Amino acid sequence: MFALIDGHNFYVSCERLFRPSLIGVPVIVLSNNDGCAIARSEEAKRLGVTKGMPWFQIRKELGNAGIVALSANFSLYGDLSNRMMSVAAGLGPTQELYSIDESFIGLDGMPGDLTTRADHVRHRIRQWVGIPCGIGIGTTKTLAKLANHVAKAADRKPGSYPPELAHVCNLAAMSDDARRAVLAATPLDEIWGVGRRLSEQLRDAGLATALDVACMDPSVARSRWSVVFERTVRELQGISCIALDDAPAPRKEIASTRSFGHPVQTEHALAQAVTEFVSRGAEKLRRQESLAGRLMVFIHTSPFRRGEPQYSRSITVPLRRPTSDTGHRAAVHGLHLIFRPGLNFAKAGVHLVDLQPAGVLQTELDLDDDEGDRSSLMLAMDKINAKHGKKSVFIASAGTSERRREWEMRQDLRTPLYTTRLCDIPIANA
DNA sequence: TCTGGGGTCCTAGGACCC
DNA sequence: TCTGGGGTCCTAGGACCC
């Protein structure tokens, strides 16, 4: 038995916690670079702001609708997520942190009425952390996910589902008929694992609802589509195929990529950006105690600028030996091999791949090592940055603040780091 | 003028090697 | 006349998730 807890319009709820004046107002949170809407309040959704809608388009179409737009404040969301998840953990014996605003809870062996218990946890999160949540319960993760959707829709779209399913929806506690009715009222694209493409194909095949998928023959799902979809069908039938993952394996790949605030033409500016991406990736690498065996660099122009020449290339560079060194020059060398002058570059990034645990690396004789062992330097950097704030020390070739504006992203509308930076903590006046 | 970032998994073609 | 098969690596792209 599984529960899925999620925070409603999570980023918007985090912002409203510290600015109650935003309650009842259409609010959106923008992606990095203030590009497009990644979170929307209910009011903003009702105005017609769609998922991923570009900010310039929102302004053009809804400029005078009173929408408040904010730049993403991931330090704030991450901190509130930790608080929410630690309270959510009280629902059952095991927990999987699925995303910043969602968590699966394993409920096997829990005595008593799970619906009531879930409702208590929901209220506790609301009271202790301040984030409104919904909870879905089912015998498989896919059903718990679907139940979570029902809990949300029953509250917000009157008539979509029976109103008593709002906030907490326990599919496992329903009669077979009631559960079938819920599945029959759920459209294809609300099924976990069924995206835009697959739901199109399923519609063409004559299916319309989650109930239709649940009634499919799994072997047909497999032969006509894929093993992944077969698993989805079985999960909807109540056969658990996806286990709770409460101890996730270390990442297989670490990416650090950014769109630029302005088009970038020079190799010099790209090299600064790429250098910064490597340091960011290497920090994450050290945090999970891994080393990268290879590194991939890519650059590309903006696919949205139709009239302009397009260019997109990537290159994978093997590292002389696995490393998590912030200052690694391989990315800059790779960049040099794929760079072409005379283009407006819109985005670049670095993927660290072939990750392996740092512990098992055999030491070698450093007969021709040009960099030497810099692990203590990295340790010192991480400590300084942890104590004095991000980027207190950094690689100079990533550019100093004066000269990096050329590629740095726009983020003009960010709220303070209310909970993670001392000088940003709000002061309440008595 | 202005369109995110970070993941996983899968597929496919070409180069290269034996 | 008749021109293999299997493997790896690299690059590229698509589908899905949040």
Side-chain angles (χ1 to χ4, degrees), chain A residues 227-294:
Chain A
V227 288
V228 181
F229 183 53
E230 179 195 9
R231 220 169 46 185
T232 300
V233 171
R234 288 191 193 277
E235 284 246 318
L236 283 177
Q237 295 170 347
I239 300 155
S240 183
C241 306
I242 308 172
L244 193 89
D245 190 8
D246 57 354
R251 302 261 87 94
K252 296 177 174 175
E253 200 175 318
I254 285 174
S256 181
T257 69
R258 282 285 177 283
S259 295
F260 302 132
H262 305 278
V264 166
Q265 286 92 24
T266 64
E267 185 177 354
H268 176 71
L270 288 174
Q272 286 187 352
V274 158
T275 301
E276 162 127 356
F277 299 152
V278 174
S279 348
R280 231 192 292 246
E283 264 174 37
K284 291 187 206 166
L285 214 47
R286 296 195 290 271
R287 218 172 300 142
Q288 75 161 30
E289 299 183 331
S290 294
L291 304 173
R294 291 182 305 163

Side-chain angles (χ1 to χ4, degrees), chain A residues 265 339-343 345:
Chain A
Q265 286 92 24
F339 176 75
R340 268 190 27 197
L343 293 161
F345 287 101

Side-chain angles (χ1 to χ4, degrees), chain A residues 177-430:
Chain A
D177 283 348
R179 189 164 46 241
R180 287 172 70 88
V182 165
L183 290 179
T186 302
L188 292 173
D189 50 4
E190 294 297 345
I191 303 169
W192 191 36
V194 177
R196 203 170 48 89
R197 186 70 195 275
L198 188 53
S199 57
E200 255 169 47
Q201 293 174 3
L202 294 172
R203 252 192 303 279
D204 290 346
L207 289 85
T209 70
L211 182 62
D212 296 337
V213 176
C215 293
M216 277 181 80
D217 179 348
S219 62
V220 172
R222 179 183 198 138
S223 59
R224 192 153 166 198
W225 283 279
S226 66
V227 288
V228 181
F229 183 53
E230 179 195 9
R231 220 169 46 185
T232 300
V233 171
R234 288 191 193 277
E235 284 246 318
L236 283 177
Q237 295 170 347
I239 300 155
S240 183
C241 306
I242 308 172
L244 193 89
D245 190 8
D246 57 354
R251 302 261 87 94
K252 296 177 174 175
E253 200 175 318
I254 285 174
S256 181
T257 69
R258 282 285 177 283
S259 295
F260 302 132
H262 305 278
V264 166
Q265 286 92 24
T266 64
E267 185 177 354
H268 176 71
L270 288 174
Q272 286 187 352
V274 158
T275 301
E276 162 127 356
F277 299 152
V278 174
S279 348
R280 231 192 292 246
E283 264 174 37
K284 291 187 206 166
L285 214 47
R286 296 195 290 271
R287 218 172 300 142
Q288 75 161 30
E289 299 183 331
S290 294
L291 304 173
R294 291 182 305 163
L295 157 169
M296 188 271 267
V297 199
F298 73 85
I299 50 176
H300 67 72
T301 52
S302 169
F304 298 107
R305 297 180 164 220
R306 303 251 162 174
E308 293 191 9
Q310 296 292 313
Y311 180 77
S312 169
R313 274 214 67 182
S314 73
I315 188 168
T316 303
V317 186
L319 301 172
R320 205 180 63 80
R321 64 172 184 194
T323 182
S324 60
D325 193 311
T326 283
H328 216 286
R329 305 278 301 162
V332 175
H333 293 147
L335 169 69
H336 185 69
L337 297 175
I338 58 174
F339 176 75
R340 268 190 27 197
L343 293 161
N344 283 320
F345 287 101
K347 183 172 177 175
V350 170
H351 286 233
L352 303 173
V353 293
D354 276 359
L355 303 194
Q356 49 197 273
V360 304
L361 177 69
Q362 296 205 333
T363 48
E364 52 177 279
L365 283 172
D366 284 339
L367 294 180
D368 60 344
D369 198 339
D370 49 351
E371 295 196 325
D373 180 11
R374 310 208 304 179
S375 49
S376 36
L377 174 62
M378 295 302 114
L379 195 64
M381 272 186 76
D382 289 343
K383 275 189 178 166
I384 293 171
N385 286 334
K387 184 169 180 186
H388 297 283
K390 281 182 186 172
K391 295 187 192 169
S392 295
V393 286
F394 59 94
I395 299 289
S397 53
T400 50
S401 51
E402 254 334 271
R403 299 196 51 195
R404 49 195 288 154
R405 290 191 186 136
E406 185 184 355
W407 57 275
E408 197 126 326
M409 67 181 177
R410 285 187 304 269
Q411 220 190 6
D412 303 329
L413 310 163
R414 209 196 64 210
T415 49
L417 308 186
Y418 296 112
T419 62
T420 55
R421 191 158 72 188
L422 214 47
C423 58
D424 283 358
I425 290 178
I427 296 166
N429 292 310

